[in-house]
Amino acid sequence: MGRDIEFPREYEDAIASLDWEQMRVDLEQFERDSRYLASIVPELREQHPDCWVAVYHEQIVGFDPDLKELLARLNAQGLKQNLAIRYVSREPVLLIV
């Protein structure tokens, strides 16, 4: 059932050049940042209601009601990747699943 998938040569070269250890480290940091961001939502509702909030290395690195503005500012600061970003509404959102 399992077939080998053939990728174009340039894909194979790109995959071969990946730093798998750095990717693992970055993913673990993103996980910690995401958990941290989720844990501070109650405080963020008071400090930055109805804003997008970005966290990097368990620190708030930016917030703005406009996601495009926040991303532009973070990009200008050189923070482009591995950011945990979440919209924090003034009131909790009830999801019925």
Side-chain angles (χ1 to χ4, degrees), residues 1-95:
M1 177 151 184
R3 291 188 322 168
D4 287 340
I5 299 173
E6 289 187 33
F7 293 103
R9 181 74 185 149
E10 59 270 17
Y11 287 14
E12 290 178 13
D13 292 344
I15 290 169
S17 71
L18 292 173
D19 183 342
W20 295 99
E21 178 60 20
Q22 186 60 52
M23 288 174 55
R24 183 190 63 75
V25 168
D26 291 344
L27 184 57
E28 287 174 356
Q29 184 62 55
F30 178 77
E31 239 182 306
R32 284 191 298 275
D33 290 341
S34 296
R35 275 192 237 110
Y36 172 73
L37 183 53
S39 75
I40 62 171
V41 166
E43 295 91 45
L44 293 174
R45 281 202 173 95
E46 293 193 20
Q47 297 169 1
H48 308 295
D50 298 328
C51 282
W52 292 92
V53 178
V55 167
Y56 184 68
H57 287 255
E58 298 176 68
Q59 301 226 347
I60 296 171
V61 293
F63 56 90
D64 199 290
D66 185 304
L67 179 59
K68 287 183 181 180
E69 290 293 322
L70 173 61
L71 293 175
R73 200 167 51 255
L74 294 169
N75 189 32
Q77 295 172 11
L79 295 171
K80 302 177 192 183
Q81 299 175 348
N82 305 324
L83 299 169
I85 300 175
R86 179 178 184 153
Y87 184 75
V88 179
S89 61
R90 184 175 305 276
E91 298 295 325
V93 176
L94 176 64
L95 296 177

